[in-house]
Amino acid sequence: MNLSIEPVAPAHFEGLWRALDTVAREKRFLAFTEAPPWESSRAFYEYIIANDQCQVVAVADGQVVGWCDVLPGMGQTRMHVGTLGIGLIPAARHRGIGAQLMRAAIDGAWARGLTRIELSVRADNTNARALYERLGFELEGIRRRSVRVDGDYHDSHAMALLREGA
């Protein structure tokens, strides 16, 4: 497999949107249960590039198989905080690609001046939580019944990574 981790670019948009939709339809990992409409997704990706925000994609054999972004918070008091989002299509999981994506996104977030990265992970997603912990994220709390899918509630874990020396 020929794999590269790249900053998002217009050539990735359609593949990124398809990967997002694939992961969303699993109803286990994202806040979405399907990708937003193509036009709004494209506008969102364009906004990320135009505002020099941090989003990287994993490209395997010419296909986008995953992404990771750390997007800044809203409001002056939270401009130092980014929220991490990540997803991999099923065929790309358990190959170390998620860790590569996260390292690139974390480095990009620190380079843009962020000093705190937050994420939320469903409590039953033990593989993701183990990855986050390996990369230094710490549990900060449990959000009870914070996710509801098809009428079933799930807890999620609030985790964060602080930039050393900041």
Side-chain angles (χ1 to χ4, degrees):
M1 172 176 53
N2 183 14
L3 176 73
S4 62
I5 306 298
E6 307 171 13
V8 70
H12 301 126
F13 289 176
E14 189 174 333
L16 176 55
W17 182 67
R18 281 195 310 269
L20 170 64
D21 192 57
T22 296
V23 176
R25 288 179 187 276
E26 292 179 86
K27 298 182 178 182
R28 292 196 55 231
F29 306 111
L30 304 178
F32 299 104
T33 57
E34 63 184 63
W38 164 245
E39 288 300 320
S40 61
S41 295
R42 184 178 52 104
F44 177 68
Y45 304 144
E46 289 171 346
Y47 178 87
I48 287 172
I49 292 171
N51 290 280
D52 190 35
Q53 294 182 352
C54 181
Q55 184 173 54
V56 294
V57 294
V59 180
D61 300 325
Q63 176 188 359
V64 174
V65 297
W67 74 91
C68 187
D69 48 45
V70 180
L71 303 177
M74 301 292 285
Q76 292 83 0
T77 66
R78 294 193 40 87
M79 293 183 72
H80 67 289
V81 178
T83 300
L84 185 139
I86 186 171
L88 288 167
I89 65 170
R93 295 179 189 148
H94 310 292
R95 297 177 176 208
I97 297 170
Q100 291 179 57
L101 280 167
M102 285 186 63
R103 286 186 191 103
I106 291 166
D107 289 346
W110 294 162
R112 288 167 174 80
L114 298 179
T115 60
R116 176 184 167 87
I117 301 173
E118 301 173 339
L119 62 83
S120 180
V121 59
R122 263 181 48 174
D124 61 349
N125 190 348
T126 56
N127 288 337
R129 181 165 172 197
L131 170 62
Y132 303 149
E133 289 174 344
R134 277 195 312 275
L135 292 176
F137 283 80
E138 295 182 15
L139 179 66
E140 292 191 326
I142 297 173
R143 296 180 176 122
R144 297 178 309 135
R145 295 176 55 166
S146 65
V147 176
R148 189 174 79 178
V149 178
D150 296 332
D152 295 324
Y153 290 97
H154 302 273
D155 294 347
S156 65
H157 294 165
M159 300 182 78
L161 176 68
L162 303 180
R163 189 172 79 196
E164 292 183 24

